[in-house]
Amino acid sequence: MFQLVIDPAIDVFSDPSSYGFRKQRSAHQAIGAVANRVAKASENTVIVQLYIEKFFDKIDHGWIQTNFPMPTGFEHVLKSWLCSGVFLNQSLYKNKYGIPQGGIISPLIANFTLNGLEKAAFKDVIKSVSVNTFGGGKKILYLQFGLIRYADDFVIVLNHPRNLELVKENVKIFLKIRGLQINNKKSKDIFFSKKNLKKSEPSSKFNFLGFTFMFQTNVKISRIISRRDMTGKKKVIIHPSRENVIGFKRKLKVLIGKNTNLTAIELLNKLNPVLRGWARYFSVSVCAKILNEIDNYVYRRLWWWCTRKHSKIGKTHLADKYFLMSAENSVTSPVQRKWHFYGRSKSKSKRVKGDNFKFLVFTALETKIIAARKIALSVELKKKSSYLFEKDYIDFNAKIANQRTRENANDFYVLYNRQKGVCKFCNKLMEFNSISENKELEPLEIHHIKPLAIGGKHGGYSNKSLLHKYCHARVHKIFGKTQITKMPFRKF
């Protein structure tokens, strides 16, 4: 309740480039903002990466109690949040500083503590400097700077090192008031110069939110294409950091290794969401090679799982039991792949006979790889500190909703005309109004005859059927979400 009341008061005064723990903002938008900044970088660009030492453990309680916008008469509630302590090994530890991590209100307090950092960092900076040209003259270079923050992780991008020391000093003063300080061992300055680019030194790249940003020239497009006009340009390469890939492999090793007592379909219920979430998070970078590496690693760990679970069964029988090797089997791979790991279980429904199948998710085929710069926050919305509680955001959200409605409307119209306005489940007419009329539509939904989870296609109309919303729920209750729906529907 307190969060719903305090969040609008804090979000309005938040920094425009703050993306962590805020509504309608995500880590992908922060990555896109950094990519946009670095893509415009010149040979004199400096990336300042500062780390706050023990951020959640050293926030000054006195500063929070004095400045936090707590409703009048509830100051004691804020004090109880800060002094709640941590229960560890059957002992309660209370600290005079910091806020407990994992609480509902903790991200809100953390964002409030760092609000204003973007403005304070660039206080009294020099906005232009004269530089020498190749002809021996001088020209005025307008300095550009930006700060992108996600929770307590932030990156400062400067197109010239002229304001470097001043910006770092401003950040230290801002943090000192709140009882915080910079970790000098982890913090570093990355200079993107021609010298670093040619020698490919480690200082020409940096990590942020699990991604590695590299500013390179002479990027080789493929083994065949080697045009100078294409490979001679400077490009920003974004890919998953090596530390993150190694950590994810260790997580998969533990997940598969400790579940040898489970069946194949139970293992896939735990493994598939992990693979799908990791692949979708890193799909905004150059990750095709790394995703194939992950798929190869998962295959080897699953083969180890099979041999460990059935140590006395031959490899040929294991392959027939857990892997689809060809299309001659009764079950085919939904993505037309050989050696596709799958699990089988008997259907629990009395009305639907047969087996349930679940297939391993291939990270390389799970999602489309897109550029991070496409999902960055637009310039119009970024100029304002908060657009969530303003009229501009309502208009912006309405435009997106109308666009999605128009895209889905074509499928609704075609399916409605094909079915002659009759629901294929209950054989009753469906009321369907045009979108141009501002009237409420009857709750209708598009049903996929072959579910997308087992390889059904979303494009076209051969795999779709228009149903009432309550009929759609009834169909999934009868057939489940992993079975092909029998057409035409039987009367239940």
Side-chain angles (χ1 to χ4, degrees):
M1 183 182 69
F2 282 100
Q3 187 182 19
L4 295 176
V5 175
I6 301 173
D7 191 15
I10 293 179
D11 198 89
V12 171
F13 299 99
S14 299
D15 295 334
S17 298
S18 173
Y19 298 92
F21 303 109
R22 297 179 64 186
K23 295 181 179 179
Q24 303 297 331
R25 300 203 180 200
S26 62
H28 281 177
Q29 292 177 345
I31 295 299
V34 176
N36 284 334
R37 285 282 182 179
V38 179
K40 302 175 183 178
S42 61
E43 61 185 37
N44 295 322
T45 298
V46 183
I47 306 295
V48 185
Q49 197 167 16
L50 302 177
Y51 291 91
I52 304 176
E53 185 175 359
K54 297 181 179 180
F55 172 70
F56 284 94
D57 299 333
K58 291 189 176 182
I59 300 177
D60 188 7
H61 286 184
W63 184 88
I64 296 178
Q65 292 179 4
T66 305
N67 298 276
F68 194 76
M70 198 68 182
T72 306
F74 294 93
E75 291 79 4
H76 63 284
V77 179
L78 176 61
K79 187 176 181 180
S80 64
W81 292 340
L82 300 176
C83 302
S84 59
V86 180
F87 192 76
L88 182 63
N89 295 331
Q90 298 181 355
S91 299
L92 182 62
Y93 296 92
K94 291 188 177 182
N95 298 327
K96 297 182 180 180
Y97 302 94
I99 55 177
Q101 300 186 38
I104 298 176
I105 203 68
S106 297
L108 194 63
I109 298 177
N111 269 339
F112 174 77
T113 304
L114 295 179
N115 281 345
L117 177 62
E118 185 175 353
K119 183 178 180 180
F122 305 120
K123 182 180 179 181
D124 300 330
V125 296
I126 299 175
K127 297 184 179 181
S128 62
V129 65
S130 60
V131 295
N132 297 326
T133 59
F134 292 102
K138 292 185 177 182
K139 69 175 183 178
I140 297 177
L141 176 65
Y142 294 97
L143 303 184
Q144 299 178 358
F145 35 80
L147 186 148
I148 297 92
R149 178 170 66 88
Y150 186 89
D152 60 325
D153 297 331
F154 59 94
V155 171
I156 302 174
V157 183
L158 308 173
N159 71 333
H160 195 276
R162 180 67 177 82
N163 295 315
L164 177 59
E165 298 300 329
L166 178 60
V167 170
K168 293 171 67 175
E169 188 64 26
N170 289 340
V171 173
K172 291 181 180 179
I173 295 173
F174 177 85
L175 296 177
K176 187 177 181 181
I177 299 174
R178 292 153 176 80
L180 303 171
Q181 59 182 0
I182 296 295
N183 190 337
N184 296 323
K185 293 183 179 179
K186 292 185 178 180
S187 303
K188 57 182 178 180
D189 304 333
I190 300 97
F191 294 88
F192 285 155
S193 62
K194 289 183 178 180
K195 183 178 179 181
N196 289 341
L197 290 175
K198 288 183 179 180
K199 293 185 177 181
S200 300
E201 297 179 358
S203 60
S204 62
K205 61 182 180 181
F206 66 96
N207 297 334
F208 183 63
L209 297 181
F211 293 83
T212 298
F213 293 79
M214 301 179 64
F215 193 60
Q216 293 183 346
T217 56
N218 299 327
V219 179
K220 190 174 182 180
I221 299 177
S222 67
R223 296 180 180 179
I224 301 175
I225 301 177
S226 181
R227 291 172 51 184
R228 292 184 179 180
D229 58 339
M230 297 180 67
T231 59
K233 297 180 180 180
K234 301 176 184 178
K235 296 182 180 179
V236 180
I237 307 298
I238 308 174
H239 59 85
S241 64
R242 201 62 205 169
E243 295 81 2
N244 200 299
V245 174
I246 294 174
F248 184 63
K249 286 183 177 180
R250 291 175 180 172
K251 181 179 179 180
L252 294 175
K253 182 178 180 180
V254 173
L255 177 61
I256 298 174
K258 289 187 176 181
N259 291 307
T260 54
N261 59 327
L262 300 180
T263 61
I265 196 168
E266 292 174 345
L267 178 63
L268 290 175
N269 287 333
K270 291 186 175 182
L271 183 61
N272 280 350
V274 176
L275 294 173
R276 187 179 292 111
W278 195 86
R280 291 181 180 179
Y281 178 74
F282 288 102
S283 62
V284 297
S285 62
V286 182
C287 60
K289 186 176 180 180
I290 295 178
L291 293 181
N292 288 324
E293 178 184 345
I294 294 296
D295 288 338
N296 185 25
Y297 180 79
V298 172
Y299 163 74
R300 288 187 282 109
R301 296 310 306 176
L302 288 175
W303 182 253
W304 175 90
W305 179 86
C306 294
T307 56
R308 183 67 178 270
K309 187 177 180 65
H310 307 280
S311 57
K312 297 183 180 180
I313 298 179
K315 295 182 179 179
T316 304
H317 295 288
L318 287 179
D320 293 336
K321 182 177 179 61
Y322 292 107
F323 294 89
L324 294 176
M325 293 180 292
S326 63
E328 298 177 358
N329 298 341
S330 58
V331 182
T332 58
S333 171
V335 291
Q336 305 301 323
R337 295 286 294 270
K338 294 183 178 180
W339 289 90
H340 197 169
F341 185 82
Y342 74 101
R344 175 186 295 181
S345 66
K346 293 184 178 180
S347 178
K348 297 181 180 180
S349 178
K350 296 181 181 180
R351 295 174 178 174
V352 180
K353 298 181 180 180
D355 295 338
N356 290 328
F357 293 91
K358 196 173 189 65
F359 297 88
L360 175 69
V361 167
F362 287 102
T363 58
L365 303 177
E366 174 60 25
T367 183
K368 295 182 180 179
I369 299 175
I370 58 177
R373 298 179 63 185
K374 294 182 180 180
I375 60 175
L377 202 63
S378 61
V379 179
E380 292 78 8
L381 298 175
K382 190 177 178 181
K383 288 181 180 179
K384 296 187 177 182
S385 60
S386 175
Y387 61 91
L388 183 61
F389 304 99
E390 299 179 5
K391 182 178 179 300
D392 292 340
Y393 171 71
I394 298 175
D395 297 340
F396 171 74
N397 198 16
K399 291 180 181 178
I400 295 179
N402 292 335
Q403 183 179 1
R404 293 177 179 175
T405 305
R406 292 191 190 97
E407 293 175 356
N408 295 331
N410 295 330
D411 295 345
F412 275 75
Y413 283 131
V414 174
L415 294 174
Y416 182 82
N417 293 330
R418 284 190 174 189
Q419 298 174 196
K420 297 181 180 179
V422 177
C423 175
K424 285 194 174 183
F425 183 80
C426 63
N427 293 327
K428 295 181 180 179
L429 293 176
M430 299 179 292
E431 297 180 3
F432 188 72
N433 298 327
S434 62
I435 294 181
S436 60
E437 303 175 3
N438 295 325
K439 298 181 181 179
E440 294 183 358
L441 301 177
E442 186 180 9
L444 305 176
E445 289 184 352
I446 296 177
H447 169 68
H448 293 87
I449 301 172
K450 184 178 182 181
L452 302 179
I454 60 174
K457 295 182 179 180
H458 179 70
Y461 305 101
S462 60
N463 193 41
K464 296 178 182 179
S465 176
L466 191 63
L467 308 174
H468 292 106
K469 186 176 181 179
Y470 46 85
C471 292
H472 192 197
R474 180 67 176 165
V475 169
H476 281 301
K477 187 176 182 180
I478 297 172
F479 294 96
K481 296 186 178 181
T482 57
Q483 291 288 332
I484 299 176
T485 307
K486 296 180 181 179
M487 299 290 287
F489 292 107
R490 295 178 293 176
K491 294 183 180 181
F492 291 96

